[in-house]
Amino acid sequence: MSLHPEAIGPVPEATARAARASFPKGTACLRLRDKLGAIFDDGMFAGLYPKCGQPAYAPWRLALVTVLQFAEGLSDRQAADAVRGRLDWKYALGLDLDDPGFDASVLCEFRARLLDGGQEYLLLDALVDAARGCGVIRLRGRGQQRTDATHVLAAVRTLHRLELVGESLRAALNAVAAAAPAWLAEHVAPPPVATAWAERYGVRIEAFRLPAGKAARAALVETIGDDGHTLLAALWSPAAPADLRGLPAVERLRRIWVQQFYVVETEGKARQVRWRDPAEQPPAAQRLASPYDAEARVADKRSVQWLGYKVHLTETCEPEEPLLIVAVETTPAPQPDRAALTPILNRLAARDLLPAVQLVDTGYVDAAALVAARDCYGVDLVGPAMPDVSRQGRAKEGYDLASFVIDWAAQRVVCPAGRASAGWTPSRDRHGRPVDHVRFDKATCRACRERPACTGAKNTPRQVRLRPQAEHEALQARRREQETEPWKKRYAARAGIEGTISQAVRGAFGLRRSRYLGLAKTRLQHLATAAAINWTRLSDWFNQQPRAKTRCSHLVVALHNQAAA
């Protein structure tokens, strides 16, 4: 395929006449084509196509079809049919009434080109740029935005350990059988073994097919573990075809076997395969949880546990402008929210979309984030900081960290009783971040009358761990500020992002479950979904449709009215 960019002309006269006659009140496709134009152009995608080859279908149309597809929750085949049969789509795409459209496989190929070229962000960026170009987003004084995350389920089923190893071995055997059936039958599974393996791994491994009872399942674990080691040993033998070791299913099998099993080899006895204890397994961020999606991970947040990913949505929230998503970040499920903040701000800075105020929840806020957002990006990160988790901080009595007076220049700390520290030692915490450990004199602390309010230790003196000065002061200031009513009123605007997440995960948008395997394809889905949400919101804005109000139960409304009366 090659690309020969062409100028985008007006909507054909016959198509425009038919569309306006059929939809006198307009539709989203008609309104946005009239207000924003074509949004995309072929030049945006020039780097994705070679210079020689058969002419490609216009990529600007494929990009717009992708947005429309995710706005209505359509499959590729349904979207291709809509291009051929929907009058409003033909209007948005600038097609003649008798245009035959394209085959559904073209959409899949177009998404692959976006991913290979790293241009998947164009789906969202072009729509935001079009809104900025017509003055819908003005970003006066850089305005304010809000960010929140939600969990995303992978496009694979959740497996317990026995299902995981059995299904991993079955997937690897199928991959090897498809690539080198003769080698597999000769070197790994001769007739006696093949019969047993066909019975064990011929169908999908599911809980209801597994034997009942601990002893029977323990025996099956050893059998599967030994079979897997037999296959891996054969694949890594000098006589095995080298390309088999590069099969994705084989590589996932190798990693899962390392994470789930260990081998006991005793002199004079047969090799034995044993489960690893949970404490011996790698952390969730590194542990494979599916033989089909190597990047999906298990995570939990409060009462929710899921296998998949996490998506962070950032939207504008100016009262006189439409609420538009301007940044999307898709991450592995176990990654903490605060780790996504820097990529989000970097993305906004590169697009000249940085806000003056970023409203976030507690998961994004720590001392380092407050300082970095302020000093590196000029952004006021507004969100509640975690409270002091020390014994004194939790009990709200005694001498917590905020009760000590710190002289940073002299590297000295004075306790509430007026005693100065005896030592100040620079160090690093378990994450490698710089901290200072401050200790007080043992004899002085032991004789102090205020000791019960200061420390619960019987013999050791009070010790204090300090972050760098800028981080310490920012964190303490935020903890004081977030208790005030003006700050709470200012922070209340963050709650609106919950409505965006609700809209994204329900109905046609379907953000809760990934359509595809892997982090990159899931990210593309999220960007297309965000663009589709913006498409819908811009249509409502141009149609002067008021925003929906927050729904309240009849009980809340009745009690509120009674209190007001």
Side-chain angles (χ1 to χ4, degrees):
M1 291 292 182
S2 63
L3 178 61
H4 303 284
E6 297 181 1
I8 300 174
V11 179
E13 183 180 350
T15 303
R17 185 169 58 251
R20 297 193 185 283
S22 300
F23 305 105
K25 294 183 178 180
T27 68
C29 290
L30 273 63
R31 279 191 289 272
L32 293 186
R33 177 61 196 251
D34 292 341
K35 294 288 187 178
L36 302 181
I39 300 176
F40 303 95
D41 64 74
D42 287 344
M44 297 177 179
F45 309 96
L48 306 181
Y49 293 84
K51 296 182 179 179
C52 300
Q54 179 181 355
Y57 193 84
W60 77 266
R61 286 195 173 103
L62 295 177
L64 188 53
V65 169
T66 301
V67 174
L68 296 174
Q69 172 186 6
F70 280 85
E72 300 189 19
L74 304 180
S75 66
D76 288 351
R77 188 174 300 279
Q78 290 170 327
D81 289 342
V83 173
R84 285 187 288 269
R86 291 270 298 271
L87 189 56
D88 56 339
W89 280 41
K90 286 184 179 293
Y91 186 95
L93 297 168
L95 296 174
D96 291 320
L97 291 175
D98 58 352
D99 189 277
F102 50 82
D103 187 79
S105 62
V106 174
L107 286 171
C108 180
E109 186 266 346
F110 175 68
R111 291 194 301 269
R113 287 186 183 275
L114 287 177
L115 289 175
D116 292 342
Q119 297 298 314
E120 62 270 25
Y121 287 94
L122 281 175
L123 296 175
L124 177 63
D125 293 346
L127 195 57
V128 173
D129 287 343
R132 295 173 74 181
C134 71
V136 173
I137 304 178
R138 292 180 289 276
L139 297 176
R140 293 188 300 273
R142 287 176 53 185
Q144 65 179 12
Q145 298 171 12
R146 51 196 179 198
T147 299
D148 202 3
T150 190
H151 64 282
V152 177
L153 306 178
V156 294
R157 62 191 177 111
T158 303
L159 306 172
H160 61 65
R161 289 183 71 184
L162 185 48
E163 288 177 314
L164 171 64
V165 296
E167 193 66 12
S168 300
L169 181 52
R170 189 179 77 90
L173 285 170
N174 277 315
V176 173
W183 177 86
L184 179 66
E186 180 181 354
H187 294 85
V188 182
V193 176
T195 303
W197 281 21
E199 181 180 350
R200 231 178 351 256
Y201 310 114
V203 295
R204 191 164 74 168
I205 309 297
E206 295 183 283
F208 75 90
R209 290 194 176 102
L210 299 176
K214 289 186 177 180
R217 293 204 172 195
L220 180 60
V221 166
E222 292 190 15
T223 300
I224 293 176
D226 190 64
D227 291 346
H229 275 287
T230 298
L231 176 61
L232 291 170
L235 288 168
W236 262 262
S237 66
D243 57 336
L244 294 181
R245 294 191 285 272
L247 294 173
V250 170
E251 173 59 19
R252 290 192 284 267
L253 176 71
R254 184 193 65 81
R255 292 177 61 187
I256 289 172
W257 249 242
V258 170
Q259 295 173 357
Q260 298 292 339
F261 293 107
Y262 68 95
V263 179
V264 177
E265 294 186 357
T266 307
E267 187 176 354
K269 294 184 179 181
R271 178 188 63 193
Q272 293 180 313
V273 180
R274 294 285 185 267
W275 275 127
R276 290 189 184 276
D277 291 332
E280 298 174 333
Q281 296 181 43
Q286 302 172 15
R287 188 168 65 247
L288 269 67
S290 170
Y292 303 109
D293 190 341
E295 295 175 302
R297 294 290 184 269
V298 174
D300 59 82
K301 186 175 183 179
R302 301 186 187 93
S303 60
V304 178
Q305 185 179 75
W306 76 99
L307 168 64
Y309 305 94
K310 191 186 294 182
V311 61
H312 304 259
L313 303 178
T314 300
E315 70 174 6
T316 61
C317 54
E318 295 296 328
E320 70 279 5
E321 296 178 0
L323 308 179
L324 296 184
I325 299 173
V326 293
V328 175
E329 186 71 20
T330 305
T331 67
Q335 179 175 300
D337 290 350
R338 66 177 63 91
L341 185 61
T342 297
I344 290 171
L345 292 176
N346 284 337
R347 183 70 189 165
L348 292 171
R351 300 269 302 129
D352 193 24
L353 285 169
L354 276 175
V357 176
Q358 190 82 359
L359 301 166
V360 296
D361 65 14
T362 305
Y364 296 90
V365 178
D366 63 6
L370 290 170
V371 174
R374 180 193 64 200
D375 296 346
C376 300
Y377 303 97
V379 174
D380 182 9
L381 191 66
V382 177
M386 288 289 290
D388 188 346
V389 296
S390 65
R391 176 179 65 85
Q392 299 87 348
R394 293 195 304 270
K396 301 294 184 183
E397 59 184 23
Y399 301 146
D400 59 5
L401 182 59
S403 303
F404 289 76
V405 178
I406 305 171
D407 186 341
W408 296 94
Q411 294 190 341
R412 187 180 67 170
V413 177
V414 178
C415 74
R419 274 75 172 183
S421 59
W424 180 301
T425 307
S427 182
R428 292 188 177 273
D429 63 12
R430 60 189 180 92
H431 300 293
R433 297 172 297 198
V435 294
D436 294 312
H437 288 281
V438 179
R439 58 180 176 81
F440 289 82
D441 181 71
K442 184 176 182 179
T444 303
C445 270
R446 185 178 295 175
C448 181
R449 295 181 179 180
E450 304 294 330
R451 183 178 177 85
C454 189
T455 179
K458 293 184 178 180
N459 298 313
T460 57
R462 175 67 185 266
Q463 299 186 35
V464 176
R465 190 180 71 168
L466 301 176
R467 295 178 176 86
Q469 180 178 359
E471 296 182 11
H472 173 85
E473 292 175 348
L475 182 61
Q476 297 301 322
R478 174 54 49 83
R479 285 173 174 169
R480 293 190 299 268
E481 182 185 25
Q482 68 193 35
E483 299 300 325
T484 63
E485 287 304 319
W487 188 92
K488 293 178 182 179
K489 186 176 180 179
R490 181 189 188 196
Y491 181 65
R494 191 214 69 88
I497 191 68
E498 303 291 350
T500 296
I501 291 177
S502 178
Q503 181 184 16
V505 302
R506 289 171 171 78
F509 296 117
L511 191 73
R512 177 68 73 212
R513 180 173 290 278
S514 176
R515 288 188 176 197
Y516 314 111
L517 299 176
L519 181 63
K521 291 183 178 180
T522 301
R523 180 186 296 114
L524 185 147
Q525 174 189 341
H526 295 162
L527 288 163
T529 302
I533 293 173
N534 285 350
W535 173 274
T536 303
R537 290 181 171 184
L538 284 169
S539 173
D540 293 341
W541 178 265
F542 289 130
N543 199 34
Q544 298 182 350
Q545 182 173 330
R547 296 177 188 170
K549 296 182 179 180
T550 303
R551 291 173 291 181
C552 296
S553 67
H554 296 296
L555 174 63
V556 172
V557 173
L559 294 177
H560 177 76
N561 291 339
Q562 183 179 7

